[in-house]
Short mmCIF file of all heavy atoms in Angstrom, two decimals:
data_model
loop_
_atom_site.label_atom_id
_atom_site.label_comp_id
_atom_site.label_asym_id
_atom_site.label_seq_id
_atom_site.Cartn_x
_atom_site.Cartn_y
_atom_site.Cartn_z
N GLU A 1 32.56 84.60 106.40
CA GLU A 1 33.93 84.34 106.87
C GLU A 1 34.79 85.57 106.58
O GLU A 1 34.78 86.09 105.47
CB GLU A 1 34.48 83.12 106.12
CG GLU A 1 35.83 82.67 106.60
CD GLU A 1 36.33 81.43 105.85
OE1 GLU A 1 35.54 80.51 105.62
OE2 GLU A 1 37.53 81.41 105.52
N GLN A 6 41.89 93.17 98.78
CA GLN A 6 42.91 93.97 98.13
C GLN A 6 42.30 94.76 96.98
O GLN A 6 41.43 94.27 96.26
CB GLN A 6 44.03 93.08 97.58
CG GLN A 6 44.89 92.44 98.64
CD GLN A 6 46.05 91.67 98.03
OE1 GLN A 6 46.14 90.46 98.18
NE2 GLN A 6 46.96 92.37 97.35
N PRO A 25 43.37 94.07 105.96
CA PRO A 25 43.57 92.77 106.62
C PRO A 25 42.34 92.35 107.42
O PRO A 25 41.42 93.14 107.63
CB PRO A 25 44.76 93.02 107.55
CG PRO A 25 45.38 94.30 107.08
CD PRO A 25 44.27 95.10 106.49
N TYR A 35 53.58 89.81 99.82
CA TYR A 35 54.32 88.84 99.03
C TYR A 35 54.13 89.22 97.56
O TYR A 35 53.19 89.93 97.20
CB TYR A 35 53.77 87.42 99.21
CG TYR A 35 53.88 86.88 100.60
CD1 TYR A 35 52.92 87.18 101.58
CD2 TYR A 35 54.93 86.04 100.95
CE1 TYR A 35 53.03 86.67 102.85
CE2 TYR A 35 55.04 85.52 102.23
CZ TYR A 35 54.08 85.84 103.17
OH TYR A 35 54.19 85.34 104.43
N VAL A 43 56.01 82.11 95.02
CA VAL A 43 55.61 83.21 95.88
C VAL A 43 56.84 83.64 96.70
O VAL A 43 57.53 82.81 97.28
CB VAL A 43 54.48 82.78 96.83
CG1 VAL A 43 54.12 83.90 97.79
CG2 VAL A 43 53.26 82.34 96.02
N SER A 66 57.88 100.72 100.25
CA SER A 66 57.57 101.13 101.62
C SER A 66 56.17 100.61 101.96
O SER A 66 55.37 100.33 101.06
CB SER A 66 57.63 102.65 101.79
OG SER A 66 56.68 103.27 100.96
N GLY A 72 43.25 102.57 110.97
CA GLY A 72 43.07 101.31 111.69
C GLY A 72 42.74 100.11 110.84
O GLY A 72 42.73 98.99 111.34
N SER A 87 56.59 93.97 87.63
CA SER A 87 55.35 93.35 87.17
C SER A 87 55.20 91.99 87.84
O SER A 87 56.07 91.13 87.72
CB SER A 87 55.35 93.19 85.65
OG SER A 87 55.37 94.43 85.01
N TYR A 90 50.82 90.81 93.47
CA TYR A 90 51.18 91.17 94.83
C TYR A 90 50.07 90.72 95.77
O TYR A 90 48.91 91.09 95.60
CB TYR A 90 51.41 92.68 94.95
CG TYR A 90 52.70 93.10 94.28
CD1 TYR A 90 52.77 93.28 92.90
CD2 TYR A 90 53.87 93.27 95.02
CE1 TYR A 90 53.95 93.64 92.27
CE2 TYR A 90 55.06 93.63 94.39
CZ TYR A 90 55.09 93.80 93.03
OH TYR A 90 56.28 94.14 92.40
N ALA A 93 48.69 89.56 103.08
CA ALA A 93 48.23 88.50 103.98
C ALA A 93 48.21 89.05 105.40
O ALA A 93 48.88 90.04 105.71
CB ALA A 93 49.12 87.27 103.88
N GLU A 100 48.67 80.83 111.22
CA GLU A 100 48.80 80.81 109.77
C GLU A 100 48.30 82.10 109.16
O GLU A 100 47.41 82.75 109.68
CB GLU A 100 48.01 79.64 109.18
CG GLU A 100 48.42 78.29 109.71
CD GLU A 100 47.69 77.90 110.98
OE1 GLU A 100 46.82 78.67 111.44
OE2 GLU A 100 48.01 76.83 111.52
N ALA A 101 48.89 82.44 108.01
CA ALA A 101 48.48 83.66 107.31
C ALA A 101 47.39 83.35 106.30
O ALA A 101 47.36 82.28 105.70
CB ALA A 101 49.68 84.28 106.61
#
Side-chain angles (χ1 to χ4, degrees):
Chain A
E1 185 179 317
Q6 290 185 243
Y35 297 84
V43 176
S66 62
S87 295
Y90 287 81
E100 302 87 3

